[in-house]
C-alpha cells in the first residue's frame, strides 16, 4: 500500500480509528477528513483511493470485467499488453449518481491530477457531498475551491435538478445509453463527455467509446499511431476490435497514462 503524507489533524483521526479497532489490522487504511472518508484499497495495484460520503457505499466492479479482458487480449495486442500490466486494477462504481456527475463536471477540460486537487478543496466545503448541501454553498465559497464561475453554475444547476426531479432515485438502469444521455443533456453544463463518464463509472455500461475524451485520444495516439494526432475516424477504426467492451479498453488506456485509476 502506498503511504500518504497526511495533515496532523488527519493523523489524529487515523490514530483514533485505529484505537477503536483495538489495534487490529484491516483491509483498508481509513481516515476521516472534512466529513469524508478516504479509503485506500490495499488490494489494488497500483493503489487507488476513493472519496465517498459519510455513509459508505462499497465500490463495485462490473461482472463482465474478466470476460472483457479475455476478449480484448484475444483481439488486440496492445490491449493484451495493457491488461497484463494493469490487470490488478478494476473499474469501480461509487453507486452515487450525484457524486459521479459532480466529479465529472469538476474534471471537465482539466487533468486528472488537477481535478482531484480541486475536488478535494470542494469536498472540504461541505460535511457530505449531497445536492442539498451543495445548494447551501455560496458561489463565493465554491470559487475558493478553485472552481471556475461557470463550473459553480453547473454544479448548482446539477444539484437543483437532483432535488427538484428526484434524480438520485431515477431508474437509470432501466434506460438504454441514449435515453440516459438525453436525460443528462437537459442539465446545464452536462455535455456528451460528462454523460459518457456517467455511463462508464456509475452505470458501468460495457461499450461506451468517449471520443471527446482527451485521455482516450492520447492513449490511442501513443499506443497505435506512434504519438501522431488521431481523428475520430482513426479512433473508431481502432475500437472496432474492442467491441462490445469499449469501456474496458478505454479504462486500460487511461491506466497507461496515469497508473493511479480515477473513480468518478
Amino acid at each position: 500500500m502506498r503511504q500518504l503524507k497526511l495533515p496532523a489533524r488527519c493523523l489524529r483521526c487515523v490514530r483514533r480509528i485505529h484505537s477503536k479497532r483495538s489495534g487490529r489490522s484491516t483491509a483498508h487504511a481509513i481516515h476521516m477528513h472534512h466529513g469524508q472518508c478516504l479509503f485506500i484499497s490495499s488490494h489494488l495495484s497500483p493503489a487507488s483511493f476513493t472519496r465517498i460520503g459519510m455513509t459508505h457505499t462499497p465500490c463495485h466492479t462490473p461482472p463482465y470485467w474478466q470476460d472483457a479482458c479475455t476478449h480484448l487480449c484475444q483481439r488486440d495486442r496492445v490491449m493484451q499488453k495493457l491488461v497484463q500490466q494493469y490487470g490488478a486494477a478494476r473499474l469501480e462504481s461509487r453507486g452515487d449518481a450525484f457524486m459521479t456527475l459532480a466529479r465529472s463536471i469538476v474534471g471537465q477540460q482539466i487533468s486528472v491530477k488537477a481535478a482531484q486537487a480541486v475536488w478535494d478543496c470542494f469536498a472540504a466545503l461541505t460535511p457530505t457531498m449531497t445536492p442539498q448541501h451543495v445548494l447551501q454553498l455560496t458561489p463565493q465559497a465554491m470559487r475558493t475551491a478553485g472552481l471556475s464561475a461557470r463550473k459553480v453554475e453547473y454544479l448548482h444547476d446539477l444539484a437543483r435538478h437532483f432535488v427538484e426531479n428526484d434524480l438520485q432515485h431515477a431508474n437509470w438502469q432501466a434506460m438504454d445509453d441514449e435515453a440516459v444521455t438525453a436525460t443528462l443533456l437537459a442539465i446545464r453544463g452536462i455535455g456528451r463527455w460528462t454523460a459518457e463518464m456517467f455511463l462508464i463509472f456509475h452505470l458501468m455500461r460495457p461499450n461506451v467509446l468517449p471520443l471527446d475524451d482527451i485521455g482516450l485520444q492520447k492513449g490511442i495516439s501513443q499506443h497505435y499511431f506512434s504519438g501522431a494526432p488521431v481523428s475520430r475516424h482513426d479512433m473508431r477504426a481502432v475500437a472496432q476490435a474492442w467491441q462490445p467492451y469499449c469501456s474496458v479498453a478505454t479504462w486500460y488506456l487511461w491506466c497507461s497514462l496515469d497508473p493511479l485509476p480515477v473513480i468518478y
Side-chain angles (χ1 to χ4, degrees), residues 34-56:
H34 297 303
Q36 301 269 326
C37 296
L38 179 64
F39 282 75
I40 309 162
S41 302
S42 59
H43 66 281
L44 290 180
S45 177
S48 170
F49 37 98
T50 308
R51 275 195 170 278
I52 60 173
M54 288 289 288
T55 303
H56 174 44

Side-chain angles (χ1 to χ4, degrees), residues 64 130 210 258:
Y64 57 75
T130 65
D258 185 349

